[in-house]
Amino acid sequence: MKIDLLVAEIGSTTTVVNAFLGIHTADPKFLGQGQAPTSVLEGDVTIGLEGAIEDLRKNLNLSSIDYEEMLATSSAAGGLKMSVHGLVYDMTVRAAKEAALGAGAIIHQVTGGKLRRTDIKKIKEIGPNLILIAGGVDYGERDTALLNAEMIADSGIKAPIIYAGNIENQEEIREIFKDKENKLYIVENVYPKIDELNIEPTRKVIQEAFEEHIIHAPGMSKVRDLITGPIIPTPGAVMEASKVLKEEIGDLMTLDVGGATTDIHSVTEGSEEISRILISPEPTAKRTVEGDLGVYVNMKNIVDRIGKDVLTQKLNCDVEELINQHKPIPDTDKLKEFVELLTKEAVLTSVYRHGGKLRNLYGPAGKKTFAEGKDLTSLKWIIGTGGALTRLPHRVEILKEIAKSNKGDYLLPNKEVKILIDNDYIMASLGVLSKKYKEAALILMKKSLGLL
């Protein structure tokens, strides 16, 4: 059978391949999915990719699979490791961090101000795939970013560099890295004026750099030969899907509760009322990743947050026994109930960390109310994707708890927000597909969410 397009999601443990037909028509279809263990440890990720394609062939009951195109997302080999270096934590550092997270990066180091020798030592230990240097509004402070660039250039670190700081430094930065092995990207300032974020140009270049330089997992160069379109980081692909969908259906938030982390992508400008009292700007598209909230690898962190006594009372059984039986995909009713409690805790904790809140400040003129953080009050939709929120029996009820839990002082969605589930579990695939076939990706997304 001739398949129009395959999208491979090459994860750190599992490689998934999704098949699509009719990409060039008004009625594209999701055919099915295959998966296999990612074969990084075997020295060649194409082994896992071929295994996933073979699993897809069996699932579709085909004698063979031929395809026109293949796209890919990847979080293999630790994903896109970055370090971010800016001027002031609450300004340029935060702007640079928002750009990196929104592109799907995993940030291993963040510094504000001038780098020290110990910072350089840590960068070497991390071995980032990409380094982002920012600092200074346009035509403002120059020296910190230049000193940081010189220290990195003189350290022998060979990672690609993105410079997204004061526009006046651009020529100087080019001079600093002129004879170095680092690939250099010069981008518009992420923080060009006080209280103005400009993170989309940097996000775009981060994804381009990932595709060009960062495919370092064993055998990834072979995968590049198979791929006919873009390869982007898997979390960045979910953000791309969320942004495309927001244009069509309105403000939304996508949650992905995984085995190791919980990712949240919100795409909303917020309300005019809140924007008038907001202390500092927030990006329209914001991603946060909670590295301590996973329902498998980091399950014990969530158990500790809830408390074993509380879990014992709610589940009416020996929680220690469930912890010992716990597996990536729960296969008994009691284990599913256990994972649902973990998922609910991960969802609520991560949303409260992602969203903003109201603060009352007292001065000579009396009490004034200000807002800080991301305003989620205008959300129309909450979307669940990932293994837990697409497969657990009470996934919709778990997501409804977000609005129910708000006591009024947090900038969370209201009770009118609607819940959608990525039933086919294909949002990441559709994010990368949207880079080339936006209309088809949108139709497929709406089908998976039950909107068509």
Side-chain angles (χ1 to χ4, degrees):
M1 179 179 181
K2 192 79 165 183
I3 292 171
D4 284 350
L5 190 139
L6 299 180
V7 181
E9 295 177 26
I10 304 168
S12 52
T13 56
T14 305
T15 293
V16 174
V17 171
N18 292 311
F20 301 95
L21 199 63
I23 290 298
H24 307 285
T25 73
D27 187 28
K29 291 182 172 61
F30 169 59
L31 288 181
Q33 188 177 85
Q35 59 182 317
T38 298
S39 49
V40 172
L41 296 179
E42 294 172 50
D44 185 351
V45 295
T46 56
I47 298 170
L49 179 56
E50 287 164 2
I53 294 172
E54 173 60 17
D55 186 52
L56 172 69
R57 183 193 67 75
K58 290 177 183 173
N59 292 341
L60 296 177
N61 292 315
L62 299 174
S63 56
S64 64
I65 283 184
D66 293 314
Y67 57 90
E68 289 284 345
E69 296 184 79
M70 185 188 290
L71 313 179
T73 73
S74 176
S75 56
L80 173 55
K81 289 192 295 182
M82 283 188 68
S83 66
V84 174
H85 312 284
L87 176 59
V88 179
Y89 261 99
D90 289 341
M91 296 180 186
T92 47
V93 171
R94 189 168 70 86
K97 188 177 173 184
E98 294 286 2
L101 283 170
I106 301 167
I107 299 176
H108 286 254
Q109 183 188 30
V110 177
T111 65
K114 294 176 180 177
L115 287 171
R116 298 173 175 84
R117 283 172 291 186
T118 50
D119 296 323
I120 294 293
K121 183 181 176 186
K122 187 174 180 183
I123 296 173
K124 289 180 175 179
E125 289 170 356
I126 293 166
N129 305 121
L130 203 54
I131 296 172
L132 175 56
I133 301 171
V137 297
D138 285 344
Y139 308 104
E141 202 272 356
R142 297 184 63 177
D143 293 344
T144 301
L146 291 175
L147 182 138
N148 289 348
E150 285 172 346
M151 287 191 71
I152 291 168
D154 293 340
S155 69
I157 295 167
K158 295 175 183 177
I161 307 291
I162 295 177
Y163 175 72
N166 185 342
I167 193 172
E168 282 193 298
N169 282 345
Q170 290 183 356
E171 286 306 312
E172 197 79 19
I173 294 288
R174 286 189 180 95
E175 282 295 314
I176 289 170
F177 288 100
K178 183 174 64 177
D179 299 319
K180 305 298 181 183
E181 293 183 41
N182 312 77
K183 171 82 174 186
L184 177 64
Y185 300 86
I186 302 286
V187 191
E188 294 173 33
N189 196 345
V190 290
Y191 198 78
K193 297 177 184 176
I194 296 296
D195 290 343
E196 182 182 321
L197 300 182
N198 179 38
I199 61 181
E200 289 303 326
T202 300
R203 281 183 179 171
K204 184 180 178 188
V205 169
I206 289 171
Q207 291 188 349
E208 289 172 2
F210 175 78
E211 186 172 353
E212 188 176 348
H213 295 280
I214 315 307
I215 314 300
H216 288 319
M220 267 303 213
S221 58
K222 292 184 186 177
V223 169
R224 193 68 197 86
D225 294 336
L226 298 173
I227 305 301
T228 58
I231 302 175
I232 62 176
T234 302
V238 176
M239 176 62 90
E240 290 297 322
S242 300
K243 290 196 293 187
V244 168
L245 199 56
K246 188 262 186 191
E247 293 175 15
E248 180 77 4
I249 66 172
D251 293 7
L252 57 85
M253 175 170 65
T254 304
L255 288 91
D256 181 351
V257 178
T261 67
T262 293
D263 275 35
I264 297 184
H265 306 76
S266 62
V267 193
T268 174
E269 289 84 10
S271 70
E272 286 186 25
E273 179 188 359
I274 296 299
S275 68
R276 286 196 291 269
I277 60 172
L278 202 58
I279 291 173
S280 58
E282 287 283 328
T284 299
K286 180 184 180 80
R287 172 185 171 235
T288 51
V289 54
E290 305 303 338
D292 61 327
L293 299 176
V295 292
Y296 180 61
V297 176
N298 287 316
M299 168 260 298
K300 290 189 177 177
N301 291 336
I302 305 180
V303 168
D304 291 342
R305 286 188 61 84
I306 301 171
K308 290 182 181 177
D309 292 345
V310 174
L311 286 168
T312 297
Q313 188 177 3
K314 288 186 175 182
L315 293 166
N316 194 28
C317 71
D318 183 357
V319 173
E320 286 293 346
E321 190 176 325
L322 286 179
I323 290 170
N324 293 332
Q325 292 173 358
H326 193 41
K327 54 193 70 172
I329 300 174
D331 55 4
T332 67
D333 289 343
K334 192 56 77 173
L335 277 175
K336 286 176 185 176
E337 194 180 345
F338 174 55
V339 175
E340 285 185 335
L341 289 172
L342 300 181
T343 301
K344 178 183 171 184
E345 182 69 20
V347 162
L348 293 178
T349 303
S350 59
V351 168
Y352 274 85
R353 291 178 186 176
H354 182 93
K357 60 184 177 180
L358 297 172
R359 286 179 58 192
N360 294 320
L361 298 178
Y362 297 86
K367 183 178 80 170
K368 281 194 173 182
T369 301
F370 294 93
E372 61 179 356
K374 183 69 175 174
D375 176 18
L376 305 174
T377 58
S378 295
L379 291 188
K380 295 179 179 176
W381 311 93
I382 295 174
I383 298 172
T385 189
L389 290 175
T390 60
R391 299 294 178 257
L392 289 171
H394 296 98
R395 52 196 178 275
V396 173
E397 288 80 0
I398 290 169
L399 292 175
K400 283 181 177 177
E401 288 295 324
I402 295 170
K404 288 180 184 176
S405 72
N406 190 12
K407 302 295 185 282
D409 50 345
Y410 280 82
L411 304 176
L412 298 190
N414 60 46
K415 287 174 183 166
E416 281 72 51
V417 72
K418 295 183 175 67
I419 308 300
L420 298 172
I421 300 297
D422 174 23
N423 292 295
D424 295 328
Y425 192 179
I426 53 174
M427 271 195 84
S429 285
L430 297 181
V432 68
L433 195 150
S434 73
K435 306 283 271 187
K436 197 167 182 181
Y437 303 109
K438 186 176 178 180
E439 289 305 317
L442 189 53
I443 293 167
L444 288 160
M445 257 185 267
K446 290 168 83 171
K447 285 183 177 181
S448 181
L449 295 170
L451 295 173
L452 277 180

